[in-house]
Amino acid sequence: MGFSEGLLQAVEPQWRAMLEHPFLRQTADGTLPAGRFETWLRQDYIFVREDIGFVGCLIARAPVELRRPLGEFVVALHSEMELFESMAKELGVDLSTVEPSPICHAYNMFLLATVHTRSFAESFTVFYGAEKAYFDSWTYVKRLQNQPSPYQRFIDHWSSDSFAAWVNWLAQVLDTIATACGVNELKRMEELFRLTARYEYLFWDMALKGDQWPV
Ligand code: MP5
């Protein structure tokens, strides 16, 4: 078993809770309360915008052979932001005034703190975690769907064959990186992967229940 597969087993309770979050089920069966998807859209737009900075920092620390694929991913993230902008227009959502919610802000800061204070292997682990989380989550929605959704473009985007290939490639790279890591670093990678799964859970929770600064 590769390291990436072992990570998923180690954090199985958190990963399962993330996938079984009602936000995903309700997105799939069309029972999501009004406005909830729009909350997710606004917050994830900010998440992706800030994620571009995280990936930029990751590139600065990456071995040379990883710079090009990671650089191309930054371009893909800019196209992804256009998808958010076009869906926002369709749904009548104003993205110009969005502020990050506490959870969105904390998750983005967690990513940035990781890439600035931890090893490349640890930083790559959280990157893989966030990408894998979205692939698994939206693939789960797609599997549960029995009717087309108004949010189909997002569902299809993160459950596509090309995104699957990207996430598989990240898993292979992580497996290779892990072979050169000592036992203590591997342990820290597992802890960071668990934290990533927990943030992903909280992100769905924030979308469903709302999450605003109290003051
Ligand atoms: C991703 C995302 C996937 N857009 N939002 C969250 C909260 N987690 C993961 O990342 P990407 O970079 O949009 O594929």
Side-chain angles (χ1 to χ4, degrees), residues 40 43-45 47-48 51-52 55 73 77 80 84 107 127 129-135 138 157-158 163 166 199-200 203-204:
W40 168 81
Q43 292 301 315
D44 213 46
Y45 180 68
F47 178 87
V48 173
D51 196 37
I52 291 172
V55 180
F73 185 65
L77 284 180
E80 194 171 288
F84 277 86
Y107 192 8
F127 179 52
E131 296 295 300
K132 174 71 174 157
Y134 256 40
F135 175 69
W138 293 98
H157 175 66
W158 284 292
F163 195 63
W166 164 247
Y199 272 116
E200 290 290 341
F203 212 91
W204 299 137

PDB file of all heavy atoms in Angstrom, residues 40 43-45 47-48 51-52 55 73 77 80 84 107 127 129-135 138 157-158 163 166 199-200 203-204, ligand 1:
ATOM      1  N   TRP A  40     -21.854  28.563  -0.132  1.00  0.00           N
ATOM      2  CA  TRP A  40     -20.649  27.785  -0.480  1.00  0.00           C
ATOM      3  C   TRP A  40     -19.911  28.459  -1.646  1.00  0.00           C
ATOM      4  O   TRP A  40     -18.683  28.614  -1.602  1.00  0.00           O
ATOM      5  CB  TRP A  40     -21.016  26.342  -0.866  1.00  0.00           C
ATOM      6  CG  TRP A  40     -19.838  25.665  -1.483  1.00  0.00           C
ATOM      7  CD1 TRP A  40     -18.782  25.097  -0.826  1.00  0.00           C
ATOM      8  CD2 TRP A  40     -19.536  25.598  -2.890  1.00  0.00           C
ATOM      9  NE1 TRP A  40     -17.841  24.667  -1.736  1.00  0.00           N
ATOM     10  CE2 TRP A  40     -18.279  24.966  -3.008  1.00  0.00           C
ATOM     11  CE3 TRP A  40     -20.195  26.010  -4.052  1.00  0.00           C
ATOM     12  CZ2 TRP A  40     -17.674  24.726  -4.245  1.00  0.00           C
ATOM     13  CZ3 TRP A  40     -19.599  25.780  -5.288  1.00  0.00           C
ATOM     14  CH2 TRP A  40     -18.355  25.144  -5.365  1.00  0.00           C
ATOM     15  N   GLN A  43     -17.929  31.557  -0.618  1.00  0.00           N
ATOM     16  CA  GLN A  43     -16.767  31.254   0.227  1.00  0.00           C
ATOM     17  C   GLN A  43     -15.706  30.477  -0.542  1.00  0.00           C
ATOM     18  O   GLN A  43     -14.512  30.685  -0.363  1.00  0.00           O
ATOM     19  CB  GLN A  43     -17.205  30.491   1.483  1.00  0.00           C
ATOM     20  CG  GLN A  43     -18.031  31.333   2.433  1.00  0.00           C
ATOM     21  CD  GLN A  43     -17.258  32.572   2.904  1.00  0.00           C
ATOM     22  OE1 GLN A  43     -16.090  32.494   3.264  1.00  0.00           O
ATOM     23  NE2 GLN A  43     -17.920  33.731   2.903  1.00  0.00           N
ATOM     24  N   ASP A  44     -16.144  29.577  -1.414  1.00  0.00           N
ATOM     25  CA  ASP A  44     -15.146  28.786  -2.141  1.00  0.00           C
ATOM     26  C   ASP A  44     -14.438  29.641  -3.190  1.00  0.00           C
ATOM     27  O   ASP A  44     -13.288  29.385  -3.538  1.00  0.00           O
ATOM     28  CB  ASP A  44     -15.766  27.534  -2.774  1.00  0.00           C
ATOM     29  CG  ASP A  44     -14.771  26.383  -2.795  1.00  0.00           C
ATOM     30  OD1 ASP A  44     -14.118  26.148  -1.747  1.00  0.00           O
ATOM     31  OD2 ASP A  44     -14.600  25.741  -3.838  1.00  0.00           O
ATOM     32  N   TYR A  45     -15.122  30.669  -3.664  1.00  0.00           N
ATOM     33  CA  TYR A  45     -14.469  31.603  -4.596  1.00  0.00           C
ATOM     34  C   TYR A  45     -13.267  32.246  -3.896  1.00  0.00           C
ATOM     35  O   TYR A  45     -12.169  32.322  -4.443  1.00  0.00           O
ATOM     36  CB  TYR A  45     -15.488  32.657  -5.032  1.00  0.00           C
ATOM     37  CG  TYR A  45     -14.956  33.693  -5.990  1.00  0.00           C
ATOM     38  CD1 TYR A  45     -14.609  33.348  -7.290  1.00  0.00           C
ATOM     39  CD2 TYR A  45     -14.810  35.023  -5.594  1.00  0.00           C
ATOM     40  CE1 TYR A  45     -14.135  34.306  -8.189  1.00  0.00           C
ATOM     41  CE2 TYR A  45     -14.337  35.989  -6.479  1.00  0.00           C
ATOM     42  CZ  TYR A  45     -14.000  35.619  -7.771  1.00  0.00           C
ATOM     43  OH  TYR A  45     -13.532  36.563  -8.651  1.00  0.00           O
ATOM     44  N   PHE A  47     -11.788  30.985  -1.234  1.00  0.00           N
ATOM     45  CA  PHE A  47     -10.836  29.914  -0.932  1.00  0.00           C
ATOM     46  C   PHE A  47      -9.898  29.693  -2.121  1.00  0.00           C
ATOM     47  O   PHE A  47      -8.680  29.621  -1.960  1.00  0.00           O
ATOM     48  CB  PHE A  47     -11.569  28.617  -0.580  1.00  0.00           C
ATOM     49  CG  PHE A  47     -10.611  27.478  -0.308  1.00  0.00           C
ATOM     50  CD1 PHE A  47     -10.091  27.269   0.960  1.00  0.00           C
ATOM     51  CD2 PHE A  47     -10.198  26.646  -1.346  1.00  0.00           C
ATOM     52  CE1 PHE A  47      -9.177  26.249   1.194  1.00  0.00           C
ATOM     53  CE2 PHE A  47      -9.281  25.624  -1.116  1.00  0.00           C
ATOM     54  CZ  PHE A  47      -8.774  25.418   0.152  1.00  0.00           C
ATOM     55  N   VAL A  48     -10.470  29.587  -3.322  1.00  0.00           N
ATOM     56  CA  VAL A  48      -9.660  29.302  -4.518  1.00  0.00           C
ATOM     57  C   VAL A  48      -8.719  30.470  -4.806  1.00  0.00           C
ATOM     58  O   VAL A  48      -7.540  30.281  -5.117  1.00  0.00           O
ATOM     59  CB  VAL A  48     -10.561  28.983  -5.732  1.00  0.00           C
ATOM     60  CG1 VAL A  48      -9.741  28.863  -7.006  1.00  0.00           C
ATOM     61  CG2 VAL A  48     -11.342  27.689  -5.492  1.00  0.00           C
ATOM     62  N   ASP A  51      -6.005  30.160  -2.469  1.00  0.00           N
ATOM     63  CA  ASP A  51      -5.288  28.909  -2.731  1.00  0.00           C
ATOM     64  C   ASP A  51      -4.213  29.122  -3.804  1.00  0.00           C
ATOM     65  O   ASP A  51      -3.165  28.486  -3.793  1.00  0.00           O
ATOM     66  CB  ASP A  51      -6.309  27.851  -3.197  1.00  0.00           C
ATOM     67  CG  ASP A  51      -5.753  26.433  -3.116  1.00  0.00           C
ATOM     68  OD1 ASP A  51      -5.000  26.145  -2.167  1.00  0.00           O
ATOM     69  OD2 ASP A  51      -6.075  25.623  -4.005  1.00  0.00           O
ATOM     70  N   ILE A  52      -4.470  30.050  -4.712  1.00  0.00           N
ATOM     71  CA  ILE A  52      -3.483  30.344  -5.761  1.00  0.00           C
ATOM     72  C   ILE A  52      -2.182  30.834  -5.110  1.00  0.00           C
ATOM     73  O   ILE A  52      -1.088  30.428  -5.503  1.00  0.00           O
ATOM     74  CB  ILE A  52      -4.054  31.382  -6.758  1.00  0.00           C
ATOM     75  CG1 ILE A  52      -5.193  30.729  -7.568  1.00  0.00           C
ATOM     76  CG2 ILE A  52      -2.962  31.917  -7.684  1.00  0.00           C
ATOM     77  CD1 ILE A  52      -5.979  31.680  -8.450  1.00  0.00           C
ATOM     78  N   VAL A  55      -0.409  27.772  -3.604  1.00  0.00           N
ATOM     79  CA  VAL A  55       0.276  26.946  -4.610  1.00  0.00           C
ATOM     80  C   VAL A  55       1.530  27.674  -5.105  1.00  0.00           C
ATOM     81  O   VAL A  55       2.573  27.045  -5.334  1.00  0.00           O
ATOM     82  CB  VAL A  55      -0.668  26.573  -5.786  1.00  0.00           C
ATOM     83  CG1 VAL A  55       0.059  25.716  -6.817  1.00  0.00           C
ATOM     84  CG2 VAL A  55      -1.899  25.819  -5.282  1.00  0.00           C
ATOM     85  N   PHE A  73      -1.097  24.205 -12.957  1.00  0.00           N
ATOM     86  CA  PHE A  73      -2.287  24.138 -12.107  1.00  0.00           C
ATOM     87  C   PHE A  73      -2.739  25.550 -11.689  1.00  0.00           C
ATOM     88  O   PHE A  73      -3.938  25.804 -11.550  1.00  0.00           O
ATOM     89  CB  PHE A  73      -2.017  23.255 -10.885  1.00  0.00           C
ATOM     90  CG  PHE A  73      -3.235  23.050 -10.048  1.00  0.00           C
ATOM     91  CD1 PHE A  73      -4.336  22.367 -10.553  1.00  0.00           C
ATOM     92  CD2 PHE A  73      -3.315  23.552  -8.754  1.00  0.00           C
ATOM     93  CE1 PHE A  73      -5.487  22.198  -9.791  1.00  0.00           C
ATOM     94  CE2 PHE A  73      -4.457  23.382  -7.986  1.00  0.00           C
ATOM     95  CZ  PHE A  73      -5.543  22.702  -8.503  1.00  0.00           C
ATOM     96  N   LEU A  77      -6.381  27.100 -12.035  1.00  0.00           N
ATOM     97  CA  LEU A  77      -7.158  27.723 -10.948  1.00  0.00           C
ATOM     98  C   LEU A  77      -7.752  29.066 -11.384  1.00  0.00           C
ATOM     99  O   LEU A  77      -8.850  29.432 -10.958  1.00  0.00           O
ATOM    100  CB  LEU A  77      -6.295  27.908  -9.695  1.00  0.00           C
ATOM    101  CG  LEU A  77      -6.022  26.635  -8.879  1.00  0.00           C
ATOM    102  CD1 LEU A  77      -5.159  26.961  -7.667  1.00  0.00           C
ATOM    103  CD2 LEU A  77      -7.326  25.975  -8.425  1.00  0.00           C
ATOM    104  N   GLU A  80     -10.717  28.196 -13.203  1.00  0.00           N
ATOM    105  CA  GLU A  80     -11.733  27.773 -12.235  1.00  0.00           C
ATOM    106  C   GLU A  80     -12.440  28.999 -11.642  1.00  0.00           C
ATOM    107  O   GLU A  80     -13.657  28.991 -11.447  1.00  0.00           O
ATOM    108  CB  GLU A  80     -11.056  26.965 -11.133  1.00  0.00           C
ATOM    109  CG  GLU A  80     -12.009  26.192 -10.259  1.00  0.00           C
ATOM    110  CD  GLU A  80     -11.250  25.262  -9.344  1.00  0.00           C
ATOM    111  OE1 GLU A  80     -10.709  24.241  -9.821  1.00  0.00           O
ATOM    112  OE2 GLU A  80     -11.166  25.556  -8.136  1.00  0.00           O
ATOM    113  N   PHE A  84     -16.499  30.021 -11.406  1.00  0.00           N
ATOM    114  CA  PHE A  84     -17.236  30.603 -10.276  1.00  0.00           C
ATOM    115  C   PHE A  84     -17.934  31.895 -10.709  1.00  0.00           C
ATOM    116  O   PHE A  84     -19.090  32.127 -10.358  1.00  0.00           O
ATOM    117  CB  PHE A  84     -16.272  30.918  -9.115  1.00  0.00           C
ATOM    118  CG  PHE A  84     -15.956  29.741  -8.240  1.00  0.00           C
ATOM    119  CD1 PHE A  84     -14.933  28.864  -8.559  1.00  0.00           C
ATOM    120  CD2 PHE A  84     -16.663  29.511  -7.075  1.00  0.00           C
ATOM    121  CE1 PHE A  84     -14.622  27.781  -7.758  1.00  0.00           C
ATOM    122  CE2 PHE A  84     -16.371  28.427  -6.257  1.00  0.00           C
ATOM    123  CZ  PHE A  84     -15.345  27.561  -6.596  1.00  0.00           C
ATOM    124  N   TYR A 107      -9.016  28.166   7.243  1.00  0.00           N
ATOM    125  CA  TYR A 107      -8.501  27.108   6.364  1.00  0.00           C
ATOM    126  C   TYR A 107      -7.412  27.675   5.448  1.00  0.00           C
ATOM    127  O   TYR A 107      -6.333  27.091   5.292  1.00  0.00           O
ATOM    128  CB  TYR A 107      -9.664  26.502   5.565  1.00  0.00           C
ATOM    129  CG  TYR A 107      -9.350  25.221   4.820  1.00  0.00           C
ATOM    130  CD1 TYR A 107      -8.144  24.542   4.993  1.00  0.00           C
ATOM    131  CD2 TYR A 107     -10.287  24.667   3.939  1.00  0.00           C
ATOM    132  CE1 TYR A 107      -7.873  23.353   4.298  1.00  0.00           C
ATOM    133  CE2 TYR A 107     -10.027  23.486   3.244  1.00  0.00           C
ATOM    134  CZ  TYR A 107      -8.820  22.842   3.424  1.00  0.00           C
ATOM    135  OH  TYR A 107      -8.561  21.681   2.725  1.00  0.00           O
ATOM    136  N   PHE A 127      -1.826  19.890   0.421  1.00  0.00           N
ATOM    137  CA  PHE A 127      -2.300  20.194  -0.938  1.00  0.00           C
ATOM    138  C   PHE A 127      -3.033  18.978  -1.510  1.00  0.00           C
ATOM    139  O   PHE A 127      -4.170  19.090  -1.998  1.00  0.00           O
ATOM    140  CB  PHE A 127      -1.093  20.574  -1.803  1.00  0.00           C
ATOM    141  CG  PHE A 127      -1.438  20.876  -3.230  1.00  0.00           C
ATOM    142  CD1 PHE A 127      -2.428  21.791  -3.555  1.00  0.00           C
ATOM    143  CD2 PHE A 127      -0.741  20.255  -4.267  1.00  0.00           C
ATOM    144  CE1 PHE A 127      -2.736  22.081  -4.881  1.00  0.00           C
ATOM    145  CE2 PHE A 127      -1.043  20.540  -5.594  1.00  0.00           C
ATOM    146  CZ  PHE A 127      -2.039  21.445  -5.899  1.00  0.00           C
ATOM    147  N   GLY A 129      -4.383  16.611   0.157  1.00  0.00           N
ATOM    148  CA  GLY A 129      -5.597  16.403   0.959  1.00  0.00           C
ATOM    149  C   GLY A 129      -6.759  17.245   0.450  1.00  0.00           C
ATOM    150  O   GLY A 129      -7.882  16.749   0.288  1.00  0.00           O
ATOM    151  N   ALA A 130      -6.486  18.525   0.157  1.00  0.00           N
ATOM    152  CA  ALA A 130      -7.564  19.418  -0.296  1.00  0.00           C
ATOM    153  C   ALA A 130      -8.078  18.992  -1.675  1.00  0.00           C
ATOM    154  O   ALA A 130      -9.281  19.003  -1.942  1.00  0.00           O
ATOM    155  CB  ALA A 130      -7.061  20.863  -0.328  1.00  0.00           C
ATOM    156  N   GLU A 131      -7.163  18.597  -2.549  1.00  0.00           N
ATOM    157  CA  GLU A 131      -7.575  18.185  -3.905  1.00  0.00           C
ATOM    158  C   GLU A 131      -8.350  16.872  -3.866  1.00  0.00           C
ATOM    159  O   GLU A 131      -9.393  16.715  -4.502  1.00  0.00           O
ATOM    160  CB  GLU A 131      -6.332  18.041  -4.803  1.00  0.00           C
ATOM    161  CG  GLU A 131      -5.574  19.332  -5.030  1.00  0.00           C
ATOM    162  CD  GLU A 131      -6.394  20.363  -5.796  1.00  0.00           C
ATOM    163  OE1 GLU A 131      -6.788  20.063  -6.926  1.00  0.00           O
ATOM    164  OE2 GLU A 131      -6.654  21.443  -5.243  1.00  0.00           O
ATOM    165  N   LYS A 132      -7.829  15.933  -3.093  1.00  0.00           N
ATOM    166  CA  LYS A 132      -8.476  14.615  -2.988  1.00  0.00           C
ATOM    167  C   LYS A 132      -9.866  14.759  -2.339  1.00  0.00           C
ATOM    168  O   LYS A 132     -10.821  14.083  -2.716  1.00  0.00           O
ATOM    169  CB  LYS A 132      -7.557  13.684  -2.183  1.00  0.00           C
ATOM    170  CG  LYS A 132      -8.119  12.320  -1.854  1.00  0.00           C
ATOM    171  CD  LYS A 132      -8.209  11.425  -3.069  1.00  0.00           C
ATOM    172  CE  LYS A 132      -8.635  10.005  -2.686  1.00  0.00           C
ATOM    173  NZ  LYS A 132      -9.238   9.294  -3.822  1.00  0.00           N
ATOM    174  N   ALA A 133      -9.948  15.657  -1.350  1.00  0.00           N
ATOM    175  CA  ALA A 133     -11.229  15.872  -0.668  1.00  0.00           C
ATOM    176  C   ALA A 133     -12.286  16.333  -1.676  1.00  0.00           C
ATOM    177  O   ALA A 133     -13.426  15.843  -1.661  1.00  0.00           O
ATOM    178  CB  ALA A 133     -11.065  16.914   0.439  1.00  0.00           C
ATOM    179  N   TYR A 134     -11.904  17.265  -2.558  1.00  0.00           N
ATOM    180  CA  TYR A 134     -12.888  17.752  -3.522  1.00  0.00           C
ATOM    181  C   TYR A 134     -13.223  16.685  -4.555  1.00  0.00           C
ATOM    182  O   TYR A 134     -14.372  16.560  -4.956  1.00  0.00           O
ATOM    183  CB  TYR A 134     -12.427  19.072  -4.168  1.00  0.00           C
ATOM    184  CG  TYR A 134     -13.193  20.236  -3.556  1.00  0.00           C
ATOM    185  CD1 TYR A 134     -13.442  20.241  -2.184  1.00  0.00           C
ATOM    186  CD2 TYR A 134     -13.686  21.281  -4.297  1.00  0.00           C
ATOM    187  CE1 TYR A 134     -14.155  21.269  -1.592  1.00  0.00           C
ATOM    188  CE2 TYR A 134     -14.414  22.312  -3.709  1.00  0.00           C
ATOM    189  CZ  TYR A 134     -14.644  22.299  -2.361  1.00  0.00           C
ATOM    190  OH  TYR A 134     -15.370  23.310  -1.775  1.00  0.00           O
ATOM    191  N   PHE A 135     -12.233  15.928  -4.980  1.00  0.00           N
ATOM    192  CA  PHE A 135     -12.530  14.863  -5.944  1.00  0.00           C
ATOM    193  C   PHE A 135     -13.501  13.847  -5.323  1.00  0.00           C
ATOM    194  O   PHE A 135     -14.537  13.515  -5.910  1.00  0.00           O
ATOM    195  CB  PHE A 135     -11.249  14.156  -6.415  1.00  0.00           C
ATOM    196  CG  PHE A 135     -11.552  12.987  -7.305  1.00  0.00           C
ATOM    197  CD1 PHE A 135     -12.082  13.195  -8.572  1.00  0.00           C
ATOM    198  CD2 PHE A 135     -11.371  11.677  -6.870  1.00  0.00           C
ATOM    199  CE1 PHE A 135     -12.419  12.119  -9.397  1.00  0.00           C
ATOM    200  CE2 PHE A 135     -11.703  10.600  -7.685  1.00  0.00           C
ATOM    201  CZ  PHE A 135     -12.226  10.823  -8.952  1.00  0.00           C
ATOM    202  N   TRP A 138     -17.182  15.515  -4.601  1.00  0.00           N
ATOM    203  CA  TRP A 138     -18.052  15.793  -5.756  1.00  0.00           C
ATOM    204  C   TRP A 138     -18.352  14.530  -6.550  1.00  0.00           C
ATOM    205  O   TRP A 138     -19.403  14.428  -7.196  1.00  0.00           O
ATOM    206  CB  TRP A 138     -17.454  16.904  -6.618  1.00  0.00           C
ATOM    207  CG  TRP A 138     -17.467  18.223  -5.884  1.00  0.00           C
ATOM    208  CD1 TRP A 138     -16.430  18.788  -5.209  1.00  0.00           C
ATOM    209  CD2 TRP A 138     -18.583  19.106  -5.696  1.00  0.00           C
ATOM    210  NE1 TRP A 138     -16.834  19.983  -4.624  1.00  0.00           N
ATOM    211  CE2 TRP A 138     -18.144  20.193  -4.917  1.00  0.00           C
ATOM    212  CE3 TRP A 138     -19.919  19.090  -6.125  1.00  0.00           C
ATOM    213  CZ2 TRP A 138     -18.980  21.261  -4.552  1.00  0.00           C
ATOM    214  CZ3 TRP A 138     -20.753  20.148  -5.762  1.00  0.00           C
ATOM    215  CH2 TRP A 138     -20.278  21.219  -4.987  1.00  0.00           C
ATOM    216  N   HIS A 157     -17.162  19.376 -12.826  1.00  0.00           N
ATOM    217  CA  HIS A 157     -15.783  19.888 -12.824  1.00  0.00           C
ATOM    218  C   HIS A 157     -14.869  19.039 -11.931  1.00  0.00           C
ATOM    219  O   HIS A 157     -13.786  18.621 -12.335  1.00  0.00           O
ATOM    220  CB  HIS A 157     -15.797  21.342 -12.358  1.00  0.00           C
ATOM    221  CG  HIS A 157     -14.444  21.955 -12.194  1.00  0.00           C
ATOM    222  ND1 HIS A 157     -13.593  22.168 -13.257  1.00  0.00           N
ATOM    223  CD2 HIS A 157     -13.771  22.385 -11.086  1.00  0.00           C
ATOM    224  CE1 HIS A 157     -12.465  22.715 -12.815  1.00  0.00           C
ATOM    225  NE2 HIS A 157     -12.554  22.859 -11.506  1.00  0.00           N
ATOM    226  N   TRP A 158     -15.316  18.797 -10.689  1.00  0.00           N
ATOM    227  CA  TRP A 158     -14.430  18.101  -9.742  1.00  0.00           C
ATOM    228  C   TRP A 158     -14.615  16.579  -9.737  1.00  0.00           C
ATOM    229  O   TRP A 158     -13.976  15.896  -8.941  1.00  0.00           O
ATOM    230  CB  TRP A 158     -14.607  18.650  -8.319  1.00  0.00           C
ATOM    231  CG  TRP A 158     -13.941  19.977  -8.115  1.00  0.00           C
ATOM    232  CD1 TRP A 158     -12.595  20.230  -8.107  1.00  0.00           C
ATOM    233  CD2 TRP A 158     -14.567  21.234  -7.849  1.00  0.00           C
ATOM    234  NE1 TRP A 158     -12.356  21.563  -7.864  1.00  0.00           N
ATOM    235  CE2 TRP A 158     -13.549  22.194  -7.696  1.00  0.00           C
ATOM    236  CE3 TRP A 158     -15.905  21.637  -7.720  1.00  0.00           C
ATOM    237  CZ2 TRP A 158     -13.815  23.532  -7.418  1.00  0.00           C
ATOM    238  CZ3 TRP A 158     -16.168  22.973  -7.445  1.00  0.00           C
ATOM    239  CH2 TRP A 158     -15.132  23.900  -7.295  1.00  0.00           C
ATOM    240  N   PHE A 163      -9.812  15.638 -13.752  1.00  0.00           N
ATOM    241  CA  PHE A 163      -9.493  15.938 -12.345  1.00  0.00           C
ATOM    242  C   PHE A 163      -9.075  14.649 -11.621  1.00  0.00           C
ATOM    243  O   PHE A 163      -8.160  14.675 -10.789  1.00  0.00           O
ATOM    244  CB  PHE A 163     -10.685  16.622 -11.648  1.00  0.00           C
ATOM    245  CG  PHE A 163     -10.293  17.279 -10.338  1.00  0.00           C
ATOM    246  CD1 PHE A 163      -9.387  18.332 -10.307  1.00  0.00           C
ATOM    247  CD2 PHE A 163     -10.813  16.821  -9.135  1.00  0.00           C
ATOM    248  CE1 PHE A 163      -8.992  18.918  -9.105  1.00  0.00           C
ATOM    249  CE2 PHE A 163     -10.437  17.420  -7.925  1.00  0.00           C
ATOM    250  CZ  PHE A 163      -9.534  18.460  -7.918  1.00  0.00           C
ATOM    251  N   TRP A 166      -5.478  14.075 -12.390  1.00  0.00           N
ATOM    252  CA  TRP A 166      -4.644  15.029 -11.634  1.00  0.00           C
ATOM    253  C   TRP A 166      -4.451  14.553 -10.191  1.00  0.00           C
ATOM    254  O   TRP A 166      -3.342  14.510  -9.674  1.00  0.00           O
ATOM    255  CB  TRP A 166      -5.311  16.409 -11.687  1.00  0.00           C
ATOM    256  CG  TRP A 166      -4.842  17.422 -10.694  1.00  0.00           C
ATOM    257  CD1 TRP A 166      -5.554  17.945  -9.662  1.00  0.00           C
ATOM    258  CD2 TRP A 166      -3.551  18.076 -10.643  1.00  0.00           C
ATOM    259  NE1 TRP A 166      -4.808  18.869  -8.969  1.00  0.00           N
ATOM    260  CE2 TRP A 166      -3.582  18.961  -9.551  1.00  0.00           C
ATOM    261  CE3 TRP A 166      -2.386  17.978 -11.404  1.00  0.00           C
ATOM    262  CZ2 TRP A 166      -2.501  19.761  -9.193  1.00  0.00           C
ATOM    263  CZ3 TRP A 166      -1.293  18.778 -11.052  1.00  0.00           C
ATOM    264  CH2 TRP A 166      -1.353  19.653  -9.966  1.00  0.00           C
ATOM    265  N   TYR A 199     -10.904  20.425   8.255  1.00  0.00           N
ATOM    266  CA  TYR A 199     -11.270  21.717   7.663  1.00  0.00           C
ATOM    267  C   TYR A 199     -12.275  21.519   6.531  1.00  0.00           C
ATOM    268  O   TYR A 199     -13.196  22.316   6.360  1.00  0.00           O
ATOM    269  CB  TYR A 199     -10.034  22.457   7.147  1.00  0.00           C
ATOM    270  CG  TYR A 199      -9.380  23.309   8.201  1.00  0.00           C
ATOM    271  CD1 TYR A 199      -8.090  23.049   8.649  1.00  0.00           C
ATOM    272  CD2 TYR A 199     -10.050  24.405   8.744  1.00  0.00           C
ATOM    273  CE1 TYR A 199      -7.483  23.843   9.620  1.00  0.00           C
ATOM    274  CE2 TYR A 199      -9.456  25.202   9.715  1.00  0.00           C
ATOM    275  CZ  TYR A 199      -8.174  24.916  10.138  1.00  0.00           C
ATOM    276  OH  TYR A 199      -7.595  25.706  11.092  1.00  0.00           O
ATOM    277  N   GLU A 200     -12.085  20.461   5.747  1.00  0.00           N
ATOM    278  CA  GLU A 200     -13.026  20.216   4.652  1.00  0.00           C
ATOM    279  C   GLU A 200     -14.426  19.945   5.202  1.00  0.00           C
ATOM    280  O   GLU A 200     -15.419  20.424   4.668  1.00  0.00           O
ATOM    281  CB  GLU A 200     -12.552  19.042   3.781  1.00  0.00           C
ATOM    282  CG  GLU A 200     -11.316  19.365   2.952  1.00  0.00           C
ATOM    283  CD  GLU A 200     -11.568  20.349   1.808  1.00  0.00           C
ATOM    284  OE1 GLU A 200     -12.729  20.531   1.416  1.00  0.00           O
ATOM    285  OE2 GLU A 200     -10.582  20.938   1.316  1.00  0.00           O
ATOM    286  N   PHE A 203     -15.899  23.155   6.250  1.00  0.00           N
ATOM    287  CA  PHE A 203     -16.293  24.004   5.111  1.00  0.00           C
ATOM    288  C   PHE A 203     -17.715  23.666   4.655  1.00  0.00           C
ATOM    289  O   PHE A 203     -18.528  24.565   4.421  1.00  0.00           O
ATOM    290  CB  PHE A 203     -15.283  23.836   3.959  1.00  0.00           C
ATOM    291  CG  PHE A 203     -15.104  25.082   3.134  1.00  0.00           C
ATOM    292  CD1 PHE A 203     -14.129  26.016   3.457  1.00  0.00           C
ATOM    293  CD2 PHE A 203     -15.898  25.331   2.020  1.00  0.00           C
ATOM    294  CE1 PHE A 203     -13.962  27.168   2.696  1.00  0.00           C
ATOM    295  CE2 PHE A 203     -15.738  26.477   1.251  1.00  0.00           C
ATOM    296  CZ  PHE A 203     -14.761  27.401   1.593  1.00  0.00           C
ATOM    297  N   TRP A 204     -18.033  22.358   4.563  1.00  0.00           N
ATOM    298  CA  TRP A 204     -19.420  21.980   4.208  1.00  0.00           C
ATOM    299  C   TRP A 204     -20.381  22.463   5.285  1.00  0.00           C
ATOM    300  O   TRP A 204     -21.484  22.922   5.008  1.00  0.00           O
ATOM    301  CB  TRP A 204     -19.566  20.457   4.060  1.00  0.00           C
ATOM    302  CG  TRP A 204     -18.735  19.807   2.999  1.00  0.00           C
ATOM    303  CD1 TRP A 204     -18.036  18.628   3.125  1.00  0.00           C
ATOM    304  CD2 TRP A 204     -18.533  20.231   1.640  1.00  0.00           C
ATOM    305  NE1 TRP A 204     -17.405  18.325   1.940  1.00  0.00           N
ATOM    306  CE2 TRP A 204     -17.699  19.278   1.010  1.00  0.00           C
ATOM    307  CE3 TRP A 204     -18.971  21.327   0.894  1.00  0.00           C
ATOM    308  CZ2 TRP A 204     -17.287  19.393  -0.323  1.00  0.00           C
ATOM    309  CZ3 TRP A 204     -18.561  21.446  -0.435  1.00  0.00           C
ATOM    310  CH2 TRP A 204     -17.738  20.486  -1.029  1.00  0.00           C
TER     311      TRP A 204
HETATM  312  C1  MP5 B   1     -10.855  22.673  -3.032  1.00  0.00           C
HETATM  313  C2  MP5 B   1     -11.683  23.811  -3.057  1.00  0.00           C
HETATM  314  C3  MP5 B   1     -10.272  22.102  -4.285  1.00  0.00           C
HETATM  315  N1  MP5 B   1     -11.952  24.475  -4.205  1.00  0.00           N
HETATM  316  N2  MP5 B   1     -12.255  24.248  -1.899  1.00  0.00           N
HETATM  317  C4  MP5 B   1     -12.000  23.610  -0.749  1.00  0.00           C
HETATM  318  C5  MP5 B   1     -12.630  24.114   0.510  1.00  0.00           C
HETATM  319  N3  MP5 B   1     -11.211  22.524  -0.705  1.00  0.00           N
HETATM  320  C6  MP5 B   1     -10.640  22.060  -1.832  1.00  0.00           C
HETATM  321  O1  MP5 B   1      -9.231  22.852  -4.702  1.00  0.00           O
HETATM  322  P1  MP5 B   1      -9.091  23.367  -6.200  1.00  0.00           P
HETATM  323  O2  MP5 B   1      -7.758  23.985  -6.044  1.00  0.00           O
HETATM  324  O3  MP5 B   1     -10.214  24.318  -6.407  1.00  0.00           O
HETATM  325  O4  MP5 B   1      -9.119  22.196  -7.104  1.00  0.00           O
END
